[in-house]
Amino acid sequence: MRLSRYFLPVLKETPGDAQVVSHQLMLRAGMIRQTASGIYAWLPLGQRVLQKISQIVREEQDRAGAIEVLMPTIQAADLWQQSGRYDAYGPEMLRITDRHDRDMLFSPTAEELFTTIFQNGARSYRDLPRNLYQIQWKFRDEVRPRFGVLRGREFLMKDAYSFDLDFAGARHSYNRMFLAYLRTFARMGVHAIPMRADTGPIGGDLSHEFIVLAPNGESDVFYHENWEAGRDTSGVDADDAAGLAAWIDALNADYAATDEMRDPAAEAATGAALKQSKGIEVGQVFYFGDKYTRAMGVTVQGPDGAAVTPLMGSYGIGVSRLVAAIIEASHDDAGIIWPEAVAPFKVALLNLRADDAACSAACDKLYAELEHAGVEVLYDDRDERGGAKFATADLIGIPWQLVVGPKGVAAGTVELKRRGGDRLEMTAEAAFARLTA
Ligand code: ATP
Ligand code: MG
């Protein structure tokens, strides 16, 4: 992408109404604009990051055996009356009336809809287990939307819903998602700690929140210091139910709990290893058994012919919140530092003298070669000073800067710099090889 043809409205000044660094940087880097309280337009750079995160979430959901669908955002109130949540959900639900005076709502979550859709397509125990998911916008009329997309009103969520025949199966489905979440966040360069959590309006008796430690987080969390190290999930077999359960139990032997779920005895046993921090909730998994299937009269025919009420869990990831959470965890004074897996572009190609024919020709050639090799390049071909180009590339956090100036072109060299690291001088061929390795 040539910057001269892109839409990247960066801001020089830090907007006064943005309190946390991720919100400030997302506005300054031209990623989002607020259009109403807690509602944001995603500009090209922000949309690219949202897509990168969504794709990692999608790949790990698919790998865990979940199946992607897409549900409507607007739902009929009847569905929610069947589960009893229409009245219980409260003012966070945006209620809408259509022209025929029918009560509708903008989905804040989708247990009821997935339960109905599942019932519609499942007849017998052979249709179990299943896990259906979507990546779809949600609306919650938060009493205090704040911190940009960290707590918006409209936000992008991955939500999955599992259906099982018995408790052992349901527990395995929960564990599969637990593992998938560890893998998902690790791939994004984010360290998210699973913590015992309260179930809130979703209900049920088993839940974990996945928390990224950050000074600007809204949750107070308590955990064993062992959790500060990442966990290697590479050898874990998600199909081995007993092995997976044992692996997760061993992990959870180290205490980790949110404020509502603190356990004084476990904290005493943790002793000096107990840490306290602020954290951002980036995902949550719930097991709630037959809460929705029973209320909505959902059954399938069991192996012996008798009707069975499937047991469910649901599993959310805050896709748009993650964009900000990653920035909270990865930035410096100059701007964002994207982990490569979620970066909007891999390379910023900086032409230091767009008015110099030889320099521009060298840049054009590198740009064409990198694009041809499938590398995502943002080519700063604007007629601007070098300083401004460095500042923009730093602000928007592109992992690599490939710097081309007239002196280097004459000497046959370019400079390659890791965002936040040192500049290394090398031939264009060497830089190309490094970027395509
Ligand atoms: P919170 O406690 O932060 O209000 P929640 O527990 O109500 O969130 P869940 O129902 O667990 O949210 O939704 C799944 C995920 O969606 C959360 O883990 C979070 O990452 C994300 N999420 C929830 N509310 C918001 C919001 N207002 N803005 C952005 N992301 C959100
Ligand atoms: Mg939650």
Side-chain angles (χ1 to χ4, degrees), residues 14 18-28 147 150 215-216 324 327-333 335-336:
T14 298
Q19 300 161 35
V20 297
V21 67
S22 57
H23 189 194
Q24 293 167 355
L25 287 173
M26 287 180 77
L27 290 168
R28 284 188 54 210
F147 303 157
L150 277 177
N216 288 326
I327 297 173
E328 288 292 335
S330 186
H331 66 271
D332 63 12
D333 289 344
I336 302 165

Side-chain angles (χ1 to χ4, degrees), residues 1 349 363-377 432 435-436:
M1 177 59 64
L349 171 58
C363 282
D364 287 355
K365 181 164 176 287
L366 263 171
Y367 176 57
E369 289 170 351
L370 286 166
E371 288 267 287
H372 184 73
V375 178
E376 292 171 308
V377 186
F432 178 82
L435 293 171
T436 51

Side-chain angles (χ1 to χ4, degrees), residues 245-268:
W247 186 80
I248 290 177
D249 284 348
L251 271 190
N252 289 338
D254 286 330
Y255 179 74
T258 59
D259 207 16
E260 305 81 36
M261 296 297 283
R262 291 181 71 179
D263 175 348
E267 290 189 8

